[in-house]
Amino acid sequence: LATQWISSALAGMLNAGVPILTATIAVLAYHRRTTGRQLVGLLIGFVGTGLLSFPRALGVILGANVGSTVTGWLVALIGFKFDLQTITLPLIFVGAMLRLFGRPKFASLGFALAGFGLVFSGVAALQVGLQGVDRLITPEIFPGDTWLGRFLLLLLGLGITLVTHSSAVGVAVAIAAVHVGSLSLTQAAAMVIGMDIGTTATAALATIGATVNARRTGFAHVLFNLLTGLGAFLALPTIVQSLERFAPRWTAANPELALVGFHSTFNIVGVALMLPFASRFARTVEWLIPQRNGLTLRLEPSLLAQPRLALTNVRATLEEISSRCAVICRNLLTTSSSEEMEGELSECQIGLDETRQYLEKIPRSSVDPETWPQHVDCLHVVDHLARLLVRMRKSDRAESVRRKEDLRQRGQALVEALSMDLSVEGNKSLFAAKLKSTSTELDETLASHRQLTVEQTALGKVSTTEALAILDGFRWLRRVSFHFQRIAEHLFAIPLESKVTAAPSTRSEEEPPDMD
């Protein structure tokens, strides 16, 4: 529920055109619970399940990069400017009491207070631990202020992030070290660049076995941080020299503020430079990680462990295959033959076979009662699509419908039903109802139509061969209409939440009798 709520909120705000601001505010407001790294991890999950598109996710990544620098400002502005020993423990105590005994609204506030208290407690512990360290650890024992030295420090910062699994921890340590003089500003800044790059490791790991769009999202995060890190690394000497030239006293008195200012600045500048090229950047990532072709793009193996999401994607895939079959059937009833549509029919058959195989891999034991009706519906749709594809390959039957005037008129009713735009709100239920009406009408007129055809044959008005072709065409049209009706009913007519979960469907899935 939390995931759905967050994704819906993000999607709504992203649709409003504020992706960068949304993500930045989200990280700032919820920093007590969610870091930028964690937000990117959630984002990859949203994209992987189809709740968020890749281009919109790119905007959130850019905003998260800026918002995640807030930790450094908290540490630099509060941690080293005030005596934290007197406030951290009371803050943690008050926060814990509110969390345990307060109302939901105050419990969240207590959780935030306790979180801030623990952060400041850690900063206070760093202050105590680093007392006297400035005499043991000095800038001279680290690589010098050369390109190679700065690169080695960048690698050191990257390694710290990989070990601690958090760039915020590394940045806090770097701020504490530069505050007591154990690191120079240039050395600490080089390490912070490495930490900013190292924080993408989580995103890279989260993409293993994920969907194509999820892999794109993780790769975009890694690539963007690499580009901004490279720019910051190349500009580092110039920035530090400018600070020491134009504000030497302030820089010497507040090296920790200069460090976090540098961290935020190169992230903000990176986002500002990327924004005009965001669409091109997204297309580049899509080109580097191409989408595979076919109807089964949603059927990712990584979702099999989550039956609800897997079945949602199966249902969407079956809708797409059904829509493709509707187009083929319309063509068969108007101008085309099965031979001309063989490529489309084969593609639908391959997609259906892959969907059936994917459906069989969903663990039956993990399908809960609420998901069970959706699973049953998918199985019914697979069955009807399989029989429908067999019918549509019988080109002689479709040709009989096109050639005979009264059959062509009856086929036109099915063509009109299959031509409905299902993207319009409310059309899906109307689509199912119209197909049911068409199928019912064909059922009711079968006996009279057959009797009339036989009588005309007996009177010599119709040859026996033509009569058999007409009857075959009518039965073909009736069965095709029946399959589309059942597919529409299982996909659109009855909402999932209104179905009975304890018993199988009472709708008949048997084909209508031939009445021959």
Side-chain angles (χ1 to χ4, degrees):
L1 289 176
T3 300
Q4 292 175 359
W5 182 86
I6 294 172
S7 64
S8 299
L10 282 177
M13 289 184 281
L14 291 172
N15 282 327
V18 288
I20 307 300
L21 183 60
T22 298
T24 304
I25 293 174
V27 175
L28 291 174
Y30 292 96
H31 195 274
R32 63 188 186 273
R33 305 181 196 177
T34 307
T35 64
R37 173 181 59 82
Q38 292 169 325
L39 180 61
V40 172
L42 287 172
L43 187 65
I44 292 173
F46 293 158
V47 175
T49 56
L51 297 174
L52 199 64
S53 66
F54 165 65
R56 289 173 179 170
L58 182 59
V60 183
I61 288 174
L62 299 180
N65 267 46
V66 176
S68 61
T69 63
V70 70
T71 303
W73 287 105
L74 288 175
V75 173
L77 290 173
I78 300 176
F80 294 101
K81 301 300 181 182
F82 300 97
D83 181 11
L84 300 178
Q85 296 285 1
T86 58
I87 64 171
T88 53
L89 291 179
L91 200 63
I92 295 172
F93 175 77
V94 172
M97 291 299 100
L98 288 174
R99 176 67 176 174
L100 292 173
F101 305 109
R103 295 180 179 178
K105 160 166 47 172
F106 296 106
S108 298
L109 175 62
F111 195 53
L113 291 176
F116 279 122
L118 289 171
V119 170
F120 297 146
S121 179
V123 173
L126 277 175
Q127 288 177 319
V128 174
L130 288 173
Q131 287 178 0
V133 171
D134 55 327
R135 294 189 296 273
L136 301 175
I137 302 177
T138 62
E140 287 73 24
I141 70 174
F142 291 97
D145 190 12
T146 63
W147 286 109
L148 177 60
R150 289 191 288 271
F151 181 71
L152 292 175
L153 286 166
L154 183 150
L155 293 179
L156 177 60
L158 189 147
I160 290 173
T161 301
L162 293 178
V163 171
T164 61
H165 208 57
S166 173
S167 62
V169 173
V171 171
V173 172
I175 293 171
V178 79
H179 176 75
V180 300
S182 295
L183 287 173
S184 68
L185 177 60
T186 304
Q187 291 171 329
M191 289 179 64
V192 166
I193 295 172
M195 294 168 186
D196 206 64
I197 296 173
T199 193
T200 62
T202 302
L205 291 174
T207 61
I208 297 176
T211 63
V212 172
N213 280 331
R215 291 200 297 273
R216 287 173 176 173
T217 304
F219 180 75
H221 181 49
V222 173
L223 185 58
F224 174 73
N225 279 37
L226 283 173
L227 292 174
T228 55
L230 176 63
F233 183 76
L234 295 176
L236 178 57
T238 304
I239 294 173
V240 174
Q241 290 172 10
S242 300
L243 285 173
E244 292 175 347
R245 180 178 179 181
F246 296 106
R249 293 184 179 178
W250 181 86
T251 302
N254 303 281
E256 64 280 353
L257 291 179
L259 179 61
V260 296
F262 169 76
H263 186 204
S264 294
T265 299
F266 80 74
N267 274 285
I268 293 172
V269 170
V271 170
L273 293 176
M274 179 60 70
L275 279 177
F277 308 99
S279 297
R280 186 173 300 177
F281 180 71
R283 288 196 298 270
T284 301
V285 173
E286 290 172 348
W287 176 75
L288 291 171
I289 305 178
Q291 185 78 274
R292 67 178 188 269
N293 294 322
L295 295 166
T296 56
L297 301 177
R298 303 176 183 86
L299 306 184
E300 289 290 340
S302 59
L303 297 179
L304 288 170
Q306 305 176 58
R308 182 176 289 273
L309 293 176
L311 286 170
T312 298
N313 284 356
V314 167
R315 195 182 190 96
T317 301
L318 291 174
E319 286 187 26
E320 189 170 349
I321 295 174
S322 301
S323 297
R324 188 75 63 86
C325 287
V327 173
I328 296 172
C329 187
R330 293 204 309 266
N331 291 332
L332 291 175
L333 290 171
T334 51
T335 57
S336 304
S337 65
S338 296
E339 289 77 11
E340 294 172 329
M341 302 301 297
E342 181 57 35
E344 293 284 335
L345 287 168
S346 297
E347 187 176 354
C348 288
Q349 186 64 60
I350 292 171
L352 182 61
D353 291 340
E354 292 178 0
T355 305
R356 182 193 293 111
Q357 293 168 8
Y358 186 85
L359 197 56
E360 290 174 353
K361 293 177 182 177
I362 297 176
R364 302 295 189 270
S365 58
S366 50
V367 177
D368 57 55
E370 293 183 0
T371 313
W372 180 83
Q374 187 174 10
H375 196 179
V376 172
D377 276 337
C378 290
L379 291 171
H380 280 309
V381 173
V382 167
D383 175 49
H384 283 292
L385 280 172
R387 289 187 278 172
L388 178 63
L389 288 170
V390 172
R391 302 290 181 205
M392 289 197 297
R393 278 194 162 92
K394 297 182 177 180
S395 58
D396 57 330
R397 309 292 173 83
E399 187 178 351
S400 297
V401 175
R402 294 200 308 268
R403 191 175 63 249
K404 189 66 175 174
E405 178 62 27
D406 62 332
L407 289 183
R408 187 166 59 249
Q409 292 178 357
R410 296 181 189 280
Q412 188 60 33
L414 180 59
V415 169
E416 291 175 1
L418 296 177
S419 301
M420 292 184 64
D421 184 2
L422 299 183
S423 62
V424 177
E425 185 69 24
N427 266 13
K428 290 183 177 180
S429 296
L430 185 60
F431 174 69
K434 196 164 186 178
L435 283 172
K436 183 175 179 61
S437 174
T438 302
S439 181
T440 301
E441 184 179 352
L442 288 171
D443 281 342
E444 292 174 348
T445 57
L446 173 62
S448 59
H449 182 272
R450 183 176 183 278
Q451 181 65 27
L452 178 62
T453 303
V454 171
E455 289 176 356
Q456 289 179 337
T457 305
L459 293 172
K461 296 181 179 180
V462 178
S463 67
T464 304
T465 303
E466 186 179 358
L468 292 176
I470 292 173
L471 292 174
D472 283 342
F474 193 97
R475 284 192 293 268
W476 180 89
L477 182 62
R478 179 166 165 263
R479 288 168 182 168
V480 167
S481 176
F482 168 79
H483 290 311
F484 273 116
Q485 173 203 339
R486 288 291 188 245
I487 290 169
E489 285 182 351
H490 286 295
L491 287 178
F492 309 132
I494 303 178
L496 176 61
E497 57 271 15
S498 68
K499 294 182 181 179
V500 179
T501 61
S505 172
T506 58
R507 292 173 293 184
S508 172
E509 304 304 329
E510 294 299 323
E511 292 188 46
D514 288 344
M515 299 181 66
D516 289 336

